[in-house]
């Protein structure tokens, strides 16, 4: 298979998410798959083995849930991939879709919580307000919560009596508080650990009448599980001596927790027994577990991949749970860990090298989105495509990244953007000195926050990069704030200390458009015409400045925000980026 056929085959290979099941009807599951070329929702009746496609939309479907009784599948219906719309629901075994919560204004989805009684809590954001609506059997009952700061429904007890709400009322969306209320809106309890320490609700125990809530706290400067009963006030922190950050999931009987620990870009699974406090390691291959979920009977299903091996849905019973069908994705190369000393401490980076050719290689620095995200030892068709094209790929978990403790994640104070780029530069120096990368053939690239850092880096580090590729970037923080979705406005305020009117200097200092006159390298910008995360107006302003200064650039637009849900679009954009890099690095 030729290199181009191989990397495109990785995108075209069918993939699926980990099936989620109805706790009271565990043979009824839903999952998402790209088997048709677009990510859509599927229902799976495990008793008969039958699967069926639930949604069929040109730009794919991003959000779905199944109710605990297994009667209904809920999915979010937006317009042209703009992430603004309403929820709908469909009977598990098929039938017409029904709109949910008619009478409530449409908005951006901000969480859905379902009970076994037909009661649901649906979060929608619009016009500067975050609202949580109570819905019974699809019909709007009342507005449960409304506030100008970000909030979302984090969970609902199985019997529908308690609703957990994460909110940023105390001024920090990045470190939310957790409140539990009754259907009437009466507050049952609240957890707030103070500035810089968020409490995030995950889910209630999976049994009617059980009011225990599983959450994550940061009292020891990393995310760790907490079991809280808001009715009795009892709290239990789950402490592990091992390094890394954690999340957790209930076992089906509520007697144990499945703990997923992330450390240095890899995943580990453990079972924690709530009665005796015993901890048991669950053996899994080295790599990354995207999702993991216990099943009745005690075994665990999980979605696994590594940089070299494509995703598979496994079970600790030793079986492949469900095969999405079609040819498997060709494997890629394993990655290497690299540690570099930076201005804020040791930086962990991931390096993927071509199997053929000799170092130093042309290299692309692929900067992750977020900033509260991180790169991992997971299978990536994008990374593999660059490697097949002869590039070393360097990914940097700069300050602001998750997975390395709260202090590393929260280090973005003052010089937002500049802090991350200082770490990128330290890793750049390390890979050049190690003979991995050719300093004259380096591409800076990224998507979303990574695209923002790319534009900022081209303007503030103009001599370091031969070319730049920015997909759906922030080019001007102020203009982006004016046009973006409500949740991103809340995030902007939390990250930069207020709105553009309150912090104009910070917004300007962190904006690529401030430094556009210093850009020297050619840049490719990719943007969605209906994107509420990367609004087009602020990109148009940036491109106009590029043109005014005579800087070489190309712009590619497409008609959706979620190009990652459409396989053909992902292939087209990857080919465009590879061609752009080859063209401009060939001049050096």
């Amino acid at each position: 298979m030729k290199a181009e056929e191989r990397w495109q085959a990785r995108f075209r290979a069918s993939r699926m998410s980990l099936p989620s099941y109805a706790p009271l009807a565990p043979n009824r599951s839903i999952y998402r798959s790209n088997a048709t070329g677009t990510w859509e929702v599927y229902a799976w009746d495990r008793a008969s083995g039958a699967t069926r496609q639930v949604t069929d939309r040109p730009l794919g479907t991003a959000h779905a849930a199944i109710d605990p009784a297994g009667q209904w599948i809920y999915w979010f219906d937006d317009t042209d991939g703009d992430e603004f719309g309403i929820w709908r629901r469909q009977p598990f075994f098929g039938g017409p879709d029904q709109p949910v919560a008619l009478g409530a204004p449409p908005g951006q989805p901000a969480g859905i919580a379902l009970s076994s009684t037909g009661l649901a809590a649906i979060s929608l954001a619009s016009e500067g307000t975050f609202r949580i609506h109570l819905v019974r059997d699809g019909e709007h009952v009342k507005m449960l919560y409304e506030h100008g700061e970000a909030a979302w429904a984090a969970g609902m007890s199985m019997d529908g009596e308690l609703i957990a709400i994460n909110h940023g009322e105390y001024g920090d969306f990045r470190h939310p508080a957790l409140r539990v209320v009754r259907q009437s809106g009466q507050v049952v309890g609240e957890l707030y650990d103070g500035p810089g320490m968020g409490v995030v609700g995950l889910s209630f125990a999976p049994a009617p009448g059980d009011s225990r809530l599983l959450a994550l706290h940061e009292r020891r400067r990393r995310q760790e599980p907490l079991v809280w009963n808001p009715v009795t006030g009892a709290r239990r922190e789950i402490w592990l001596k091992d390094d890394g950050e954690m999340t957790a999931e209930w076992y089906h009987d509520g007697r144990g927790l499945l703990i997923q620990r992330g450390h240095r870009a890899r995943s580990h699974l453990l079972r924690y027994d709530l009665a005796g406090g015993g901890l048991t390691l669950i053996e899994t291959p080295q790599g990354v577990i995207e999702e993991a979920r216990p099943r009745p009977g005690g075994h665990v299903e999980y979605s696994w991949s590594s940089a070299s091996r494509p995703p598979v849905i496994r079970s600790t019973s030793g079986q492949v749970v469900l095969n999405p069908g079609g040819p498997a994705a060709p494997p890629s190369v394993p990655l290497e860990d690299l540690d570099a000393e930076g201005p804020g401490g040791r930086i962990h980076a991931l390096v993927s090298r071509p199997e053929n050719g000799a170092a130093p290689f042309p290299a692309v620095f692929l900067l992750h989105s977020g900033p509260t995200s991180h790169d991992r030892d997971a299978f990536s068709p994008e990374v593999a495509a660059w490697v097949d094209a002869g590039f070393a790929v360097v990914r940097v978990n700069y300050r602001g990244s998750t997975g390395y403790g709260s202090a590393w994640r929260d280090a973005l104070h003052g010089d937002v953007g500049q802090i991350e780029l200082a770490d990128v530069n330290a890793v750049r120096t390390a890979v050049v000195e190690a003979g991995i990368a050719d300093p004259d053939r380096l591409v800076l690239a990224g998507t979303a926050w990574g695209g923002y850092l790319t534009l900022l880096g081209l303007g503030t580090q103009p001599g370091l990069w031969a070319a730049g590729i920015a997909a759906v970037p922030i080019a001007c923080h102020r203009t982006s704030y004016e046009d973006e979705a409500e949740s991103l406005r809340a995030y902007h305020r939390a990250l930069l200390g207020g709105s553009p009117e309150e912090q104009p200097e910070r917004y300007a200092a962190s904006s690529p458009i401030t430094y556009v006159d210093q850009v020297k390298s050619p840049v490719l910008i990719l943007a969605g015409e209906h994107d509420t995360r990367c609004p087009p107006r602020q990109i148009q302003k940036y491109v106009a400045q590029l043109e005014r200064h005579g800087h070489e650039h190309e712009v590619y637009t497409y008609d959706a925000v979620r190009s990652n849900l459409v396989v053909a679009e992902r292939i087209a954009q990857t080919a465009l980026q590879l061609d752009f890099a080859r063209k401009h690095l060939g001049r050096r």
Side-chain angles (χ1 to χ4, degrees):
M1 185 181 291
K2 295 180 180 180
E4 185 171 358
E5 295 173 340
R6 186 166 59 250
W7 74 253
Q8 292 191 13
R10 295 191 188 97
F11 284 97
R12 292 195 175 98
S14 295
R15 297 179 63 172
M16 61 180 293
S17 64
L18 181 70
S20 59
Y21 67 90
L24 301 183
N27 281 331
R28 299 184 183 183
S29 297
I30 64 168
Y31 62 91
R32 294 171 60 247
S33 173
N34 67 346
T36 64
T38 302
W39 282 90
E40 297 292 358
V41 182
Y42 292 77
W44 175 28
D45 178 14
R46 296 184 186 226
S48 66
T51 63
R52 71 175 185 87
Q53 185 173 336
V54 175
T55 58
D56 185 9
R57 290 152 35 87
L59 301 176
T61 306
H63 306 285
I66 185 171
D67 78 281
Q71 299 295 315
W72 295 93
I73 297 170
Y74 290 74
W75 60 274
F76 190 74
D77 182 12
D78 61 5
T79 304
D80 296 328
D82 64 358
E83 298 186 307
F84 193 90
I86 65 170
W87 283 90
R88 298 184 183 275
R89 68 176 192 166
Q90 183 183 125
F92 180 82
F93 288 107
D97 291 311
Q98 301 177 3
V100 174
L102 278 179
Q108 178 193 17
I112 183 170
L114 305 171
S115 74
S116 62
T117 64
L119 193 70
I122 291 177
S123 310
L124 293 169
S126 64
E127 299 178 346
T129 304
F130 292 79
R131 302 178 180 90
I132 299 177
H133 304 274
L134 277 187
V135 176
R136 184 176 296 280
D137 298 325
E139 299 295 326
H140 188 257
V141 175
K142 61 181 289 187
M143 191 188 325
L144 180 69
Y145 179 93
E146 183 176 22
H147 203 275
E149 288 299 329
W152 65 94
M156 179 177 281
S157 61
M158 187 73 75
D159 55 15
E161 292 300 318
L162 302 173
I163 302 98
I165 299 171
N166 268 120
H167 66 84
E169 288 180 22
Y170 306 131
D172 192 353
F173 174 44
R174 300 180 70 206
H175 306 94
L178 177 60
R179 181 178 298 159
V180 173
V181 302
R182 298 192 185 277
Q183 296 178 25
S184 63
Q186 174 194 5
V187 176
V188 180
E190 182 159 40
L191 293 181
Y192 175 58
D193 287 343
M197 292 188 291
V199 186
V200 179
L202 297 178
S203 60
F204 281 94
D210 195 331
S211 56
R212 292 175 300 161
L213 176 63
L214 182 59
L216 298 175
H217 70 91
E218 299 180 67
R219 295 167 188 169
R220 285 177 286 271
R221 306 307 294 160
R222 67 171 182 174
Q223 287 193 324
E224 297 175 326
L226 166 73
V227 177
W228 173 42
N229 189 324
V231 176
T232 66
R235 307 179 192 180
R236 180 173 180 178
E237 297 179 16
I238 313 300
W239 179 79
L240 275 70
K241 64 180 180 179
D242 301 289
D243 292 331
E245 296 191 349
M246 286 163 271
T247 187
E249 181 99 10
W250 292 100
Y251 271 82
H252 73 286
D253 56 7
R255 298 177 181 177
L257 299 179
L258 176 67
I259 295 178
Q260 184 172 325
R261 181 173 71 91
H263 179 56
R264 286 181 62 83
R266 277 110 184 160
S267 304
H268 311 272
L269 292 181
L270 307 100
R271 178 191 165 101
Y272 183 84
D273 179 63
L274 287 168
L279 192 67
T280 306
L281 177 68
I282 299 173
E283 293 293 336
T284 57
Q286 178 170 295
V288 168
I289 295 167
E290 294 288 347
E291 296 178 277
R293 191 165 293 116
R295 286 281 299 171
H299 63 280
V300 175
E301 296 176 350
Y302 59 98
S303 174
W304 174 92
S305 74
S306 71
S308 60
R309 307 301 301 179
V312 62
I313 307 296
R314 296 175 177 265
S315 169
T316 53
S317 65
Q319 301 175 332
V320 173
V321 175
L322 185 64
N323 193 323
S332 187
V333 299
L335 59 78
E336 309 166 30
D337 294 276
L338 183 144
D339 292 290
E341 292 301 326
R346 181 166 293 184
I347 308 157
H348 183 212
L350 309 175
V351 179
S352 303
R353 304 195 204 194
E355 292 181 307
N356 301 315
F361 299 100
V364 57
F365 279 65
L366 285 181
L367 307 184
H368 66 71
S369 60
T372 49
S373 177
H374 67 285
D375 282 310
R376 302 169 297 165
D377 184 11
F379 193 77
S380 169
E382 290 88 353
V383 170
W386 283 100
V387 171
D388 285 355
F391 288 80
V393 178
V394 183
R395 292 178 287 165
V396 183
N397 284 328
Y398 46 74
R399 281 172 288 172
S401 301
T402 53
Y404 300 88
S406 300
W408 189 261
R409 182 201 64 202
D410 292 343
L412 303 185
H413 294 295
D415 287 337
V416 172
Q418 312 290 357
I419 289 172
E420 302 97 299
L421 288 171
D423 290 349
V424 172
N425 190 29
V427 173
R428 177 193 181 278
T429 299
V431 296
V432 169
E433 291 180 350
I436 299 171
D438 181 345
D440 294 325
R441 295 188 293 165
L442 298 180
V443 178
L444 189 61
T447 298
W449 195 261
Y452 154 63
L453 293 177
T454 295
L455 294 185
L456 188 64
L458 293 179
T460 61
Q461 301 173 337
L464 301 186
W465 311 104
I469 301 172
V472 293
I474 297 172
C476 174
H477 282 292
R478 172 181 283 275
T479 308
S480 185
Y481 183 91
E482 293 170 355
D483 297 348
E484 68 193 0
E486 298 301 334
S487 61
L488 294 179
R489 287 184 182 177
Y491 192 88
H492 250 128
R493 292 192 295 270
L495 188 63
L496 293 174
S499 68
E501 287 69 29
E502 295 166 324
Q503 298 287 351
E505 294 85 4
R506 289 186 183 179
Y507 275 75
S510 294
S511 289
I513 200 167
T514 302
Y515 313 96
V516 68
D517 60 323
Q518 300 172 197
V519 173
K520 295 181 179 178
S521 303
V523 56
L524 169 64
I525 299 174
L526 302 92
E529 295 174 353
H530 303 286
D531 199 336
T532 56
R533 296 176 179 270
C534 167
R537 186 168 67 95
Q538 48 105 25
I539 291 180
Q540 293 163 3
K541 290 176 66 174
Y542 183 84
V543 170
Q545 289 296 310
L546 286 175
E547 293 173 347
R548 188 171 73 85
H549 290 286
H551 296 319
E552 187 172 2
H553 65 280
E554 297 179 23
V555 178
Y556 173 84
T557 60
Y558 50 99
D559 63 358
V561 56
R562 293 193 309 259
S563 64
N564 61 326
L565 297 186
V566 182
V567 172
E569 183 61 38
R570 293 183 68 195
I571 291 174
Q573 292 188 20
T574 301
L576 181 69
Q577 294 179 51
L578 292 173
D579 289 344
F580 181 84
R582 291 191 191 102
K583 177 173 63 176
H584 292 289
L585 264 61
R587 298 177 182 176
R588 309 288 287 196

